[in-house]
Amino acid sequence: MGNEHSVDGGESPVRRAIRTVRRNQWTGLVVNITPSAFWLTVFFLIPLGVMFYYSFGQRGAFGEVLLGPGNVGLQQYKLFFVPQDASILQAIWWTISWMVDSVVPFELGLAAGEPTPYVQLTIKSIAYGLVTTLVSLAIGYPTAYYIAHVAPARYQSLLLVLVILPFWASYLVRVYAIQILLARNSILMNALGVLPFFEAGQSLMNTRFAVLLGLTYIWIPFMILPVYASIEQIDFTLKEAAMDLGADRFEAFRRVIFPLSMPGVVAGSILVFIPTTGAYVIPELLGGTQSQMIGNFIANQFGSAGNWPLGSAGSFILMGIMLAAIAIYQRYGEGDLA
């Protein structure tokens, strides 16, 4: 051991060799990326590739995955998107008509059929994600604005700690806490009884409201923090300049402050939309049978249904939605996710 520090000014041959290897452009690149590349390949790319291959297979009579020459094809994707005995164009038209009929307060009867239940579930999940994102933005933006610009500087760190404080508790514990609050005869349900349209003691569990409340509560910090970071960097003398030029407070905010904070708004929206659209635990614990989302469908296919090919196809379709959301961020946000 003593010899390791006696060669070449106290540096051992082993250390000198490691330093030489790491300083070389190519050997250093290999040494530095090998651990992460191994981890990424073994635990991400290979399972992803296997699942992608499974999505082209078929389910056997006993739940096995059939991947023979006569079984591999696009049947799972067709089953997901195209109703039985319908063409692709009919499927597209029925999907658009179903979405329009779902939005307008009266039935138009535009199409002779409906999209598949899987497409309906996907659209419903996207709607949950969009509503949660909008509610998080409506609550999170004023909160971030107050912390970044209105609150005294000595309290800003404390307020940020309060925003992230729920993360100190387990995800499941927080969801179970919402269950307790929304259960029948809870303190909150009895307190809401003072409202004229709410009957005291009733339960809000297993409703869409419970799912939206849970999604918003869990993910709203991911809206507040990016917006706060964006607002904190704004030079508010620009707002004063706009007001000197005749704009009122609202106009100065709308035309100066809000556009400058858009990178944070877009980043927060993506960070909320992606996990809420693919949520599984919250709809399972807070929603009823009418509040299931695409994440629950995928889990059921890999679980009780035993249809891994259809579950794999659903997973990649959901992944495509996520990639589309990230592409929007790359286009309109700061573009630094990649």
Side-chain angles (χ1 to χ4, degrees):
M1 294 295 291
N3 294 333
E4 292 186 359
H5 301 282
S6 62
V7 181
D8 194 13
E11 186 179 35
S12 67
V14 176
R15 287 180 177 273
R16 190 168 64 253
I18 293 175
R19 183 164 55 83
T20 303
V21 168
R22 297 193 64 178
R23 284 185 175 179
N24 182 272
Q25 179 181 1
W26 298 109
T27 57
L29 178 64
V30 172
V31 170
N32 289 323
I33 70 171
T34 296
S36 58
F38 174 79
W39 182 273
L40 187 67
T41 302
V42 173
F43 296 103
F44 180 71
L45 292 180
I46 292 178
L48 201 64
V50 171
M51 195 168 65
F52 185 65
Y53 185 44
Y54 276 14
S55 70
F56 296 102
Q58 287 185 349
R59 179 185 184 275
F62 301 99
E64 71 274 21
V65 181
L66 303 179
L67 296 170
N71 303 115
V72 175
L74 296 172
Q75 59 272 3
Q76 301 302 335
Y77 293 95
K78 182 180 178 182
L79 177 65
F80 196 97
F81 286 112
V82 183
Q84 192 173 10
D85 300 328
S87 64
I88 295 177
L89 290 178
Q90 283 178 320
I92 295 173
W93 172 241
W94 292 358
T95 301
I96 296 174
S97 303
W98 183 81
M99 292 172 63
V100 172
D101 279 337
S102 300
V103 174
V104 299
F106 48 88
E107 186 175 352
L108 296 175
L110 296 175
E114 291 186 345
T116 65
Y118 317 120
V119 171
Q120 295 183 25
L121 196 60
T122 303
I123 295 173
K124 189 173 73 170
S125 301
I126 294 173
Y128 270 115
L130 291 175
V131 172
T132 304
T133 302
L134 291 175
V135 174
S136 298
L137 179 61
I139 300 173
Y141 194 97
T143 305
Y145 186 91
Y146 177 81
I147 297 174
H149 183 60
V150 180
R154 63 180 182 277
Y155 293 132
Q156 288 182 351
S157 298
L158 174 63
L159 293 173
L160 287 175
V161 169
L162 293 177
V163 170
I164 64 174
L165 188 63
F167 288 99
W168 295 4
S170 166
Y171 179 93
L172 284 177
V173 169
R174 284 179 281 157
V175 177
Y176 283 130
I178 298 176
Q179 274 190 344
I180 295 173
L181 286 176
L182 299 183
R184 189 180 303 278
N185 293 322
S186 67
I187 296 176
L188 179 62
M189 294 299 99
N190 287 327
L192 290 178
V194 299
L195 300 175
F197 55 85
F198 194 87
E199 181 182 351
Q202 65 175 309
S203 172
L204 286 178
M205 279 294 300
N206 300 324
T207 62
R208 294 175 180 175
F209 173 80
V211 175
L212 288 173
L213 177 66
L215 292 173
T216 303
Y217 168 70
I218 294 294
W219 297 109
I220 195 171
F222 289 87
M223 176 67 76
I224 294 175
L225 295 179
V227 174
Y228 163 80
S230 186
I231 293 176
E232 190 189 30
Q233 298 175 3
I234 295 176
D235 182 2
F236 274 84
T237 58
L238 296 174
K239 178 183 177 183
E240 297 173 2
M243 296 179 67
D244 289 341
L245 294 174
D248 56 20
R249 288 183 179 275
F250 177 74
E251 190 73 9
F253 171 79
R254 186 177 70 85
R255 304 190 65 171
V256 178
I257 301 301
F258 188 74
L260 291 175
S261 65
M262 276 304 293
V265 172
V266 175
S269 300
I270 296 300
L271 291 175
V272 173
F273 175 77
I274 288 178
T276 53
T277 301
Y280 162 69
V281 174
I282 292 176
E284 187 72 19
L285 296 180
L286 300 180
T289 56
Q290 299 299 318
S291 301
Q292 296 294 291
M293 297 172 63
I294 185 68
N296 304 99
F297 163 76
I298 293 173
N300 289 335
Q301 296 307 309
F302 283 101
S304 57
N307 194 344
W308 288 24
L310 184 57
S312 299
S315 299
F316 275 91
I317 292 166
L318 180 61
M319 197 178 302
I321 296 172
M322 306 306 176
L323 291 176
I326 293 174
I328 293 173
Y329 176 80
Q330 296 290 340
R331 174 66 178 83
Y332 297 102
E334 292 180 332
D336 56 355
L337 281 181

